[in-house]
Amino acid sequence: MRDLLLCPPDHYSIQYEINPWMSRARGADTPMVQAQWRGLYEKLCSLQANVSLITPQPKLPDMVFTANAGLAVGRRFIPSNFRHQERSGEAAFFAQFMEEKGYEVVWLPPDLYFEGEGDALFGGDALFCGYKFRTDIQAHRAVADIFSCLVISVELVDPRFYHIDTCFCPLPAESGYWFPEAFDEYGQRAIRDRLPNIIDVSAEEAQVFCCNSVVLDKDIVMPAGAPNLVAQLTERGYTCHTLQMCEFLKAGGACKCLTMFMPQRQEV
Ligand code: ARG
């Protein structure tokens, strides 16, 4: 049974533009937002996840994307240092929430940008961390020191895939799925070396954010629109649960962005 953190979308809307998906001209439809988020919440609960909810805050519309709260390993939590001032107000709320949950909160130096689980995903014993658009590569070293874990730093090169969780989803058994073109050549090599069984996703399917999935053992919750990937995962013994996420794609997010593991790993 995994513990997850979600944030109800009460204050979610497209109020600013900090990634190529966001356009204030294309606002979110409130009833659909509520229905799609509820669909995710209910699906995760039905898969035996233990879901905690943080209280959403006015004027912080992207707080719904809890993957960017920070990174929890064991009983310690590193809050994000958001790159954009539009989101920086979220950090104190997430840190306080995690403290109340009993986590020891360990802040990074304020000059190191880090956007939490959105840019830091464990695959095997390695923590794959993305950098450039949101997270600084220097933050990876600081995270590795705090958790004493092996960090593989990879550069993200496509602004549409600005967090690593938008283009990469690790699975057990040296596997996972990803959109390789979102990484530079070195990053592609580093990931393929460690995860030789990884599945390549096409540009068409990557665009629906199919890599932005929540993996709970053999169940995978992902946005709809990637039938080829679903077929390959099904062949490998996974059950894929596909959800409509179009209202969150308008902000550049989907299932995984809306979810944080508490913790992502027990210990490393
Ligand atoms: N609008 C949000 C932003 O640009 C979306 C965050 C998506 N989160 C994620 N983990 N990829 O920051």
Side-chain angles (χ1 to χ4, degrees), residues 18-19 22 62 65 68 87 118 134 162-163 165-166 251-252 257:
I18 58 170
N19 69 51
M22 301 177 90
D62 277 341
F65 298 112
N68 303 122
R87 293 199 67 184
R134 297 301 182 86
Y162 54 94
H163 282 136
D165 72 354
T166 64
C257 304

Side-chain angles (χ1 to χ4, degrees), residues 11-23:
H11 302 291
Y12 171 74
S13 64
I14 314 295
Q15 290 177 20
Y16 47 76
E17 298 169 5
I18 58 170
N19 69 51
W21 306 93
M22 301 177 90
S23 161

